[in-house]
Amino acid sequence: MPSTNVRKGLYWSDRTRTWHYEFRFRGKKHNGDTGMSSSRTLAEGYVAKLKEQLSAKEIGMVLPSDSPTLQELWEEWEATQKRQVTDKHIEDVRRAVQIHAVDLLQTRVGQIDEIALQRVRNIYLNAPDARRSEGGANNVLKLLHALLNWGVPRYLPRAPRLKPLKPQEDPRAIIWPEQVQAFLSHADDGGWQAMYRRSGHEDYLRDEQDRWPHSATAMRLMIGLGLRENEALTARWEWVDARRQIYIVGRSKSRKLREIPIPLWLMEHLLALWQARKKPKTGMIIPERRDENGVEHPHDAGFTRKPCSRCAGLLKVHGLSPHRLRAVFATTHYEIGTPPGQIQQMLGHKSLVTTMRYIVQRPKDQILAQAKAAEAMGFTDQIEGQQSPTSPQKSDKHKTNKSKTTVKR
């Protein structure tokens, strides 16, 4: 932004519709967004407070702050965000504040810096009674930063933030193509139905059985079309072109329309569902409810998480998330020879690198590739149809003696 627009350290940005600041302090340039759009006077007070904090920090002083404590900031955030975010997100922030950052509850947010956040992360990772990972620590700090960042225009000049740790990546779960029909068969009854009945949870089955067809249809859309979970939960009948057997993703993450051919098995399932719903022309395929005004509402995010995990557990596949069903779609197409560019287009990725992360190669294919590579190098390795070099082999002498013995007999 050009410095010619600066007036007393402040200028208005038409792009962000807020007041920005730009000034020099002790020869160092400082600029940024005040986050305020209502009054220039408030923005000037923000800049004055920022300069005061810079002066105090230069000589090692800690200014008495009128900012609230972390506990008070969280209570204020919850009161204002309760109707704007999901209950799960509110619960996650509450756990991050009251469990993992319990030592900072009575600390004023103006005094929380990177060192305090690093201490929270170390306590989380070194807990003796729990198994903690770098990914969990990053998630806790992400929630704390979101809370502190919410208080930036009100109480803080900036929110402290740590660089996320690089987590250890585990092998990702996947359902192989030959397991898809068994997986969808379990999805039709919600998964683990027999186990619930054996344990006497009949009431749970009666309460949940009306939700199983919705989760099964959503998982079919994810496997058959490579949709994300939110794209499957918000799928609409008007986006199904039955004449061309094409599904048009009308609301995607990239905000771009994409057309995906519908396989015959999925088209038959949608046709049966369409006829059971009395052939609607518009509306959601699997709406969660319809309010008093007739407006349809989709299921919440994560609706298929538990059914997906239960159905995969029956196939001895653990840790399968709904998003990994896109990997089933990509891997199946890769194995049958679909060009990666077409897989990329159907998944809606901007980069082919992202698409290749969804493709999983079978371990047996890698074993065979290693064996062929060893044979090309001149080594004797175990290839399909060959005997392992580590297995005991009888010498030619033993074969000769055996044949001679047979002749004598």
Side-chain angles (χ1 to χ4, degrees), residues 100-101 104 116-124 140-141 144:
H100 304 299
L104 300 178
L117 295 182
Q118 191 172 13
R119 189 180 301 114
V120 171
R121 183 171 65 185
N122 292 339
I123 293 175
Y124 177 89
V140 170
L141 291 184
L144 290 177

Side-chain angles (χ1 to χ4, degrees), residues 299-362:
H299 291 277
D300 294 334
F303 169 70
T304 60
R305 180 174 57 86
K306 288 185 178 180
C308 181
S309 178
R310 289 196 299 263
C311 297
L314 292 173
L315 302 178
K316 310 301 181 182
V317 178
H318 303 287
L320 185 73
S321 64
H323 196 69
R324 291 297 297 165
L325 298 182
R326 280 165 60 85
V328 178
F329 175 85
T331 301
T332 304
H333 276 276
Y334 180 79
E335 289 188 350
I336 64 175
T338 304
Q342 294 184 13
I343 304 176
Q344 172 192 355
Q345 184 176 3
M346 288 187 289
L347 289 178
H349 292 153
K350 294 182 180 179
S351 174
L352 185 59
V353 176
T354 306
T355 304
M356 296 306 296
R357 295 174 184 168
Y358 286 78
I359 296 174
V360 182
Q361 295 186 0
R362 297 175 185 259

Side-chain angles (χ1 to χ4, degrees), residues 239-257:
W239 297 342
V240 178
D241 189 342
R243 183 180 62 84
R244 296 190 301 154
Q245 292 192 0
I246 294 292
Y247 180 77
I248 304 172
V249 184
R251 186 178 301 168
S252 62
K253 181 179 179 181
S254 61
R255 304 298 181 185
K256 292 183 179 180
L257 296 178

Side-chain angles (χ1 to χ4, degrees), residues 17 40 53 95 98 127 137 148 154 204-205 231 255 259 268 308 334 368 371 398 400:
R17 308 296 299 174
R40 180 188 178 94
Q53 291 181 352
R95 289 177 59 86
Q98 296 188 346
L148 295 173
R154 299 163 180 82
Y204 178 83
L205 287 176
E231 294 174 346
R255 304 298 181 185
E259 296 184 347
E268 293 176 350
C308 181
Y334 180 79
L368 183 60
H398 291 165
T400 305

